[in-house]
Amino acid sequence: MPPCENTMAGDNCARVLACIGGDGLWFDGQARGWGKGIILGAMSDGTPCTGSWRYREGVNIAPASLSCEDGTKGKVIYYSQDNVTGTGIGRGLDSRLRGLRVWSGHNVLEFLTPKGRARGPAALHW
């Protein structure tokens, strides 16, 4: 993967992490762009995936779609943001009807630590 830097401009990059279903499968990747862009990454079994995302101003959501080399496709809507870390929070489904829980942002690892979760239900809107 290319280096990922938060530039707050058109070449911006933020880490994307997702849980896929309930069997321990996950996704690790990057969202590139500002306002819209591409997604690059792989599932924990090594399957490469690519996709796109677009922020919809006014409704404050960001739909994203992903296609993986094994034929799996997924759709997610980012619907909330943690104000402390800037982490975008989303949910969706893949083509195998597995639930997707997705987080993206420069400080996403901080958000997912026990300390980040300690901020309470206001930080997690699911």
Side-chain angles (χ1 to χ4, degrees), residues 79-126:
Y79 57 86
S80 183
Q81 185 173 26
D82 174 67
N83 291 330
V84 175
T85 62
T87 300
I89 304 162
R91 292 191 87 157
L93 284 173
D94 74 5
S95 55
R96 298 177 187 180
L97 300 179
R98 296 178 292 195
L100 305 172
R101 295 171 91 176
V102 186
W103 303 271
S104 180
H106 184 65
N107 298 309
V108 69
L109 291 178
E110 175 190 343
F111 175 78
L112 292 172
T113 64
K115 181 181 175 186
R117 288 193 305 266
R119 286 191 295 277
L124 304 173
H125 296 102
W126 44 64

Side-chain angles (χ1 to χ4, degrees), residues 5-13 34:
E5 295 183 35
N6 183 8
T7 65
M8 308 278 284
D11 62 346
N12 190 63
C13 181
W34 190 258

